[in-house]
Amino acid sequence: IYLIILVAFLSGFGIYLGRYLRWNSWEIFTDPVTLLYDIKISLFDAKYRFKSWGITCLFGGLLSFSWLYYKSLITTNKSV
């Protein structure tokens, strides 16, 4: 369960990178230095930190909640 929640929050950060910083997945190969610089700035620079962590937690929480809700539905249906 912890691994799934970790992946959900990493996915939330990926949503932030794609939606707000306009990065695409292939750019890890075509422009990795600039991408890593943007990730560092997003996570640690006080000017951008609140937005990046907020959006990451929002989407990560939403994905985690969705998975936990789905899991509870599956468990409930098996017992019926």
Side-chain angles (χ1 to χ4, degrees):
I1 189 167
Y2 296 115
L3 181 62
I4 291 172
I5 292 173
L6 174 68
V7 168
F9 280 91
L10 289 174
S11 297
F13 187 66
I15 291 169
Y16 168 75
L17 289 175
R19 181 72 182 146
Y20 294 95
L21 297 185
R22 309 305 292 169
W23 284 100
N24 292 306
S25 56
W26 64 79
E27 290 175 316
I28 189 73
F29 302 110
T30 60
D31 196 7
V33 175
T34 309
L35 174 61
L36 291 174
Y37 177 77
D38 276 356
I39 290 172
K40 183 185 87 156
I41 293 297
S42 295
L43 293 177
F44 302 113
D45 189 357
K47 185 177 178 183
Y48 304 104
R49 187 175 31 204
F50 182 75
K51 181 179 179 181
S52 64
W53 282 97
I55 292 169
T56 298
C57 289
L58 177 74
F59 281 109
L62 180 67
L63 291 170
S64 297
F65 175 77
S66 299
W67 180 80
L68 290 171
Y69 182 70
Y70 171 75
K71 186 74 171 165
S72 73
L73 287 177
I74 296 300
T75 306
T76 304
N77 287 339
K78 282 184 179 178
S79 64
V80 172

